[in-house]
Amino acid sequence: MSQDLFQAPDYYQLDELLSEEHILVRDAAREWVKREVSPIIEDAAQQAKFPISIISGLAEIGAFGPYIPEEYGGAGLDQISYGLIMQEIERGDSGVRSTASVQSSLVMYPIWKYGNEEQKQKYLPKLASGEYLGCFGLTEPDHGSNPGGMVTNIKDMGDHYLLNGAKMWISNAPFADIAVVWAKNEEGRIKGLIVERGMEGFTTPETHNKWSLRASATGELIFDNVKIPKENILPNKDGLGAPLGCLDSARYGIAWGAIGAAMDCYDTALRYAKERIQFDKPIAATQLQQKKLAEMITEITKAQLLTWRLGTLRNDGKATSAQISMAKRNNVEMALTIAREARQVLGAMGITGEYSIMRHMMNLESVITYEGTHDIHLLITGLDITGLPAFK
Ligand code: TGC
Ligand code: FAD
């Protein structure tokens, strides 16, 4: 990839809405991405290899559990700082942000919120430091948008549970040390449990041939009569609301992350358009390319404002799940549209790995699908404003 010359757009002086701490945290993440992610990410994506060497750096910038209290090894930051870290990481690559999202919101969050003190002490510090990597198993081969239909199950055997079933499309699965898995008990109630690598009957085959999120490892979780000690059950919440509560936190991070990917595409296209000469003038001097660039910065600015406000609502404990859905849906579509437009600004160069745009575009095809598809988030808004569910 050519040198990383990224300059973040701030068209509405949004930095004035941020605290000194927010800016420090964001700039540290921005510098780290420039130094450690940009030089290696294109190769990693081309070779479909997760760049495992960056795990310790992710931990150092506070990307693993940004809002988890310091007593458990987290960074103890607020929701805006968490969002800004996700924005900067996804500016580098959505797959790297995926790893951080899963670790923070889908593994650390449920242990912190639904686990007991022993579980928090045992797992959270190791997850925060990157010594352990986690994954989150909700989706099944026959239950994607409708996780409530899951068939993965646990049976009470007296001194332990027996876990059977399979999860699919699981980020980090091939190399995760632990998995937070959702399964139904004999009463059909959804429970969260911690499955550890090495437990007999537990395997994690990798999913190959992806054109998207190539720098993130995806796999299955297969449970064949896995003995789960009773102390590995998350005791403090069950039902579908438990995994969905984790998704609220991850979807919020994605809303910020998508802005990062969009900013990178816009910034790249703007620079290229000013330098690329056709018909004896920069293509940036043509009305058609200006329309693309002007619309991009407009959409980025709107998304920044929406997401900053959502962050303040989350800081006050007032953000609703439906508000988070709106931001995830809007921002990911915004980023994907910008990636497609920006790629065209670069002409043929836009399809090469010299520039990040095509990689962002392919990544965003996963981001618009996972954590609730574009359609599902629209239906969540529909339900919220009408009171009438249209899923079934
Ligand atoms: P429904 O009857 O509406 O709700 C069941 C219970 O859950 C509660 N609830 C929530 N709680 C917390 N947060 C939310 N966002 C919640 N939404 C609903 C609800 O109040 C109810 O509680 P209770 O106490 O009454 O039982 O459930 P439903 O079966 O009708 O489904 C609703 C629907 C479709 C919105 C939900 O199933 C959904 O969101 N589906 C999308 C599935 C999804 O997002 N999967 C993501 C898998 S993880 C992933 O993709 C990780 S990618 C990571 C990466 O690499 O970055
Ligand atoms: P389906 O649910 O089969 O949907 C197919 C299509 O039908 C979609 O367009 C959808 O919007 C539409 N649709 C579904 N229901 C309705 C309806 N009621 N009305 C109208 N349209 C509808 N899952 C995890 O648990 N953990 C992970 O770590 C994880 N990581 C992932 C990583 C990647 C790279 C990808 C691609 C996925 C990952 N997922 C993960 C799974 C992801 O959450 C699911 O793919 C997603 O929830 C959609 O499920 P599905 O693919 O089965 O699609």
Side-chain angles (χ1 to χ4, degrees), residues 41-48 90 92-98 169 209-216 218 261-262 264-265 332 335-343 350-370:
I41 196 63
E42 185 60 34
D43 267 4
Q46 293 279 0
Q47 293 173 33
E90 191 145 2
D93 189 77
S94 305
V96 179
R97 197 269 307 134
S98 267
W169 297 114
N209 291 330
K210 292 180 300 168
W211 284 117
S212 175
L213 283 198
R214 288 172 62 80
S216 158
T218 313
D264 198 46
C265 294
V332 177
L336 195 48
T337 305
I338 286 179
R340 288 171 180 153
E341 291 287 303
R343 199 218 59 72
I351 70 153
T352 72
E354 280 298 296
Y355 296 90
S356 55
I357 298 175
M358 189 85 177
R359 178 166 47 78
H360 281 307
M361 188 203 298
M362 295 194 301
N363 283 341
L364 288 162
E365 291 291 346
S366 285
V367 182
I368 204 164
T369 292
Y370 68 32

Side-chain angles (χ1 to χ4, degrees), residues 218 317 367 374 380 388:
T218 313
V367 182
H374 197 60
I380 291 171
L388 301 168

Side-chain angles (χ1 to χ4, degrees), residues 70-81:
E70 287 170 285
E71 60 176 306
Y72 297 120
L77 297 167
D78 76 349
Q79 290 290 312
I80 302 269
S81 287

Side-chain angles (χ1 to χ4, degrees), residues 260-283:
M263 289 197 308
D264 198 46
C265 294
Y266 163 75
D267 179 60
T268 304
L270 177 62
R271 189 172 308 104
Y272 188 90
K274 289 202 258 185
E275 288 169 3
R276 177 69 176 164
I277 310 290
Q278 288 295 291
F279 301 98
D280 304 320
K281 63 177 187 182
I283 58 169

